[in-house]
Amino acid sequence: MSRPVDLMAIGYHLLTPVGLYVVAALRIGIGLVLVLAASASRTPNTLRILSAMILVEGMATAFVGVDRARAMLDWWTTQGSVFNRLPYCVAIAIGGFVTYVVAARRRAA
């Protein structure tokens, strides 16, 4: 079972210039895939907005720098356990939303 401590360990492991660029490229790639899938989705404008947010987040990640990223992660780890579990809830909500909007519609029999 995954725990917030495991997520923090992954975050600290990626605190290198190359690691930050890999995370930035991954976020930009996910954003581009969602932009391309938006036109065929149930809610194209909402998915475009979400993908634009992910793209901006990916571009910002590339410019944050290791020291600033470490300071942000250090701050995050000092927060309470409810706050540290928040990324899991956000990921589940976003994943469920994306799954719903890109899933094929059922046809009436």
Side-chain angles (χ1 to χ4, degrees):
M1 180 185 284
S2 184
R3 301 170 304 178
V5 174
D6 298 334
L7 184 63
M8 298 301 170
I10 292 169
Y12 279 111
H13 183 69
L14 292 171
L15 284 177
T16 65
V18 173
L20 289 179
Y21 285 128
V22 167
V23 170
L26 183 65
R27 287 177 174 172
I28 291 170
I30 290 170
L32 290 174
V33 168
L34 291 177
V35 165
L36 295 173
S39 61
S41 71
R42 294 180 184 188
T43 58
N45 290 335
T46 306
L47 193 56
R48 284 186 188 110
I49 291 169
L50 176 64
S51 59
M53 290 171 32
I54 293 171
L55 283 168
V56 168
E57 184 179 294
M59 289 184 268
T61 301
F63 297 109
V64 167
V66 174
D67 293 334
R68 180 71 179 142
R70 184 178 308 282
M72 291 166 46
L73 197 55
D74 287 342
W75 175 84
W76 190 275
T77 58
T78 61
Q79 305 307 307
S81 67
V82 172
F83 191 77
N84 286 329
R85 294 178 193 277
L86 188 62
Y88 291 108
C89 298
V90 172
I92 289 170
I94 291 172
F97 171 74
V98 170
T99 301
Y100 169 75
V101 300
V102 299
R105 295 183 182 112
R106 291 187 181 199
R107 297 183 189 192

